[in-house]
Amino acid sequence: MCGIVGYVGRRELAQDVILDGLRRLEYRGYDSAGIAVLEDGKLRVVRAIGKLRNLESSLRDLPVHGAAGIGHTRWATHGQPSEENAHPHRAGSVAIIHNGIVENYRKLRDGLRERGSEFSSDTDTEIIAHLIDEQRRAGCSLVEAVRNATGQLEGSYAIVVLDETEPGELVAAKDGGSPCIVSANEEAGFVASDIPAILPHTRRMVPLEDGDVARVAPDTLEIWDRAGARIERQPRDIKWDPVQAERGGYDRFMQKEIYEQPRAISDTIGTRALEDEGDIDLDGIEFDPDWVRRLKGVHLVGMGTARHACLIGATMIEQHARVPAIADLSSEYRYRDPVVDSDYLVIPVSQSGETTDTLQALREAAGRGALSLGIVNAPDSSIARDVDHVLYTHAGLEIGVASTKCFTAQIAALDLVALKLGLLRGTLTREQVRAAIIELRRVPRLVEQTLGLWDEIGEIASRYVHAGNFLFLGRGVGCTVALEGALKLKEISYIHAEGYAAGEMKHGPIALIDENMPVVVVANRSNTYSKVLANAAEVRARQGVVIAIAEQGDEEIDSVANEVIRVPAISDPLSSIVMSIPLQIFAYHIATLKGTDVDQPRNLAKSVTVE
Ligand code: M6R
């Protein structure tokens, strides 16, 4: 989950390039940050606990000058957040940064101790530094030393190594799903965990594969695979605009990303929805129609918000394609011995494309023969490269740790998949697909209109900012909207919030209701609308406070709600997109009123690359 950046160039730009890269990666973790630069032939390491600004302020007083360096922003796994545990870690002539977890680190540390190594941190990373140093002292080249050392590791890692006896190069290695991108041009070589870190300097990047070791220098990019063979990996041209990584006039990235949703959704639909033909073109992906007709099931896997998109996607697939579809937490799926074979489609859904649980769930299903179709936002990420087919959400960079535009873009993408499957299975006619496309194309405009409620929702939020708990209720896709609304609120405002199926309320949660319990009720006018209304009335009867998300023109809701936020009406399951918007805005306002760090909430990281 940590962010890593490396630079080795012809000019003494290491500090600037690395700090700029870390700024773009801070969403990956912000427990501590550090940098190591070769200054006058010697390694200088500067580290600081907490956010990157603490490191920046240390460097302001005492800058480091050099043409080669590595930098890291940490999300703590082994060892609490502290300066000693901050990366880079040193051993002998070597400094190293690491993203991932070394699972056999205790055994390795004991062995190193017996052989005389002394440790100054509680991290698994320092062990890697010592293993490499040991190999260096045995006479190995830096590349050989990294290969021999990493060969002893179990778990996942992406590492970058700087050695003061090899000032003109960096060596990187990766395995177990931790992402690592390398690049080189005439001026410099770069390494990073994520594209945005080095996007201002290069758009041509090579994602390393598991088991790869790379040597990076100006004009030099050499890669060896797990077997030690020199290989060429295809560079990718990245089309993202570096400006996307700036806040563009908004107070926070999350606010910007909420506002970007109409564009994110319409770009995701793009030219894939062929209204005239009543057809869907999933970027040319061809499914064997016989296989689609004999499909036994579709398994959608994701975590957090992506899992919520999976829940909506499962509803869409069952509705349109009449094939059993389940939406599972990737972390549960991979360990529960799922019933899946070559007559199943597995759909991993992920913004980052790096979530370890989802990557492993995908591999579990693919290993049993399932065909895979990834719904992924980050180009060339691990999941995007592992799947048989990928359908990108074109939401652009999402920096705010709380996912917003990627969630609604994922739902739009899943709708396209569901419609395509429906066509291929013969459960939808072209006429029905045409009508569904017209409905889907309305969504960006309705989201735009809903964004106009920003201030109104802000006023409502100001009346509830002191609440200690919230319940979110809904039925059908409204239940998933409730789950997502509760997740958004808790992760950025730190208020305890639970999402429930409204029908479940009387089976327990109703005991919590009193005048201090605001209950957000998602009241889309589906076949269960009257039941939702009854549930809201039950809350009111127990002095609970009801904040309803309802459709424009819905007057009935007034009798059971203290507050009503009205959004434009659209049929299910697409109502899930429009009804989610006010809940994102509500959470945002509550959090900013409370003064929490909206873009980088405590304890969280944007992409979770450990289990
Ligand atoms: O990158 P992914 O979409 O795979 O990430 C999945 C979750 O970690 C993510 O959605 C998380 O729940 C967000 N913080 C929610 O806002």
Side-chain angles (χ1 to χ4, degrees), residues 136-209:
R136 290 291 280 154
R137 284 188 283 108
C140 294
S141 72
L142 189 54
V143 167
E144 279 167 358
V146 169
R147 184 174 323 109
N148 294 344
T150 52
Q152 302 172 54
L153 307 179
E154 288 166 17
S156 72
Y157 59 82
I159 58 169
V160 193
V161 185
L162 176 63
D163 186 322
E164 61 189 13
T165 62
E166 291 287 356
E169 66 184 45
L170 297 175
V171 173
K174 81 149 244 156
D175 203 1
S178 297
C180 190
I181 297 154
V182 291
S183 178
N185 58 28
E186 279 178 8
E187 285 300 309
F190 303 92
V191 187
S193 51
D194 304 68
I195 294 167
I198 53 175
L199 202 53
H201 312 287
T202 175
R203 279 159 182 270
R204 239 172 129 64
M205 307 179 191
V206 178
L208 293 184
E209 302 281 335

Side-chain angles (χ1 to χ4, degrees), residues 302-307 349-355 358 383 401-404 410 484 487-488 491 604-608:
M303 297 300 287
T305 291
R307 160 51 171 21
V349 178
S350 176
Q351 180 284 128
S352 60
E354 302 295 350
T355 299
T358 304
I383 294 173
V401 164
S403 185
T404 51
Q410 283 159 355
E484 175 60 10
L487 175 60
K488 285 288 90 80
E491 71 178 328
L604 284 167
K606 181 70 180 162
S607 91
V608 181

Side-chain angles (χ1 to χ4, degrees), residues 45-173:
V45 179
V46 184
R47 306 182 294 186
I49 187 166
K51 296 210 165 197
L52 183 61
R53 60 173 172 265
N54 299 344
L55 176 69
E56 288 173 320
S57 101
S58 305
L59 288 168
R60 213 168 294 126
D61 299 337
L62 222 59
V64 283
H65 302 283
I70 53 180
H72 188 269
T73 174
R74 177 170 189 245
W75 188 87
T77 55
H78 290 86
Q80 64 181 20
S82 67
E83 198 174 317
E84 296 70 44
N85 289 335
H87 301 212
H89 288 283
R90 280 201 64 170
S93 61
V94 164
I96 172 174
I97 49 175
H98 168 219
N99 172 33
I101 289 188
V102 180
E103 287 165 3
N104 57 338
Y105 84 101
R106 281 198 184 81
K107 197 170 134 223
L108 293 171
R109 188 187 51 200
D110 293 347
L112 281 161
R113 273 199 180 125
E114 278 166 24
R115 300 194 294 277
S117 291
E118 286 179 13
F119 296 92
S120 55
S121 78
D122 305 321
T123 65
D124 49 349
T125 305
E126 195 185 351
I127 278 113
I128 313 176
H130 282 275
L131 290 174
I132 296 171
D133 175 51
E134 203 170 52
Q135 296 293 323
R136 290 291 280 154
R137 284 188 283 108
C140 294
S141 72
L142 189 54
V143 167
E144 279 167 358
V146 169
R147 184 174 323 109
N148 294 344
T150 52
Q152 302 172 54
L153 307 179
E154 288 166 17
S156 72
Y157 59 82
I159 58 169
V160 193
V161 185
L162 176 63
D163 186 322
E164 61 189 13
T165 62
E166 291 287 356
E169 66 184 45
L170 297 175
V171 173

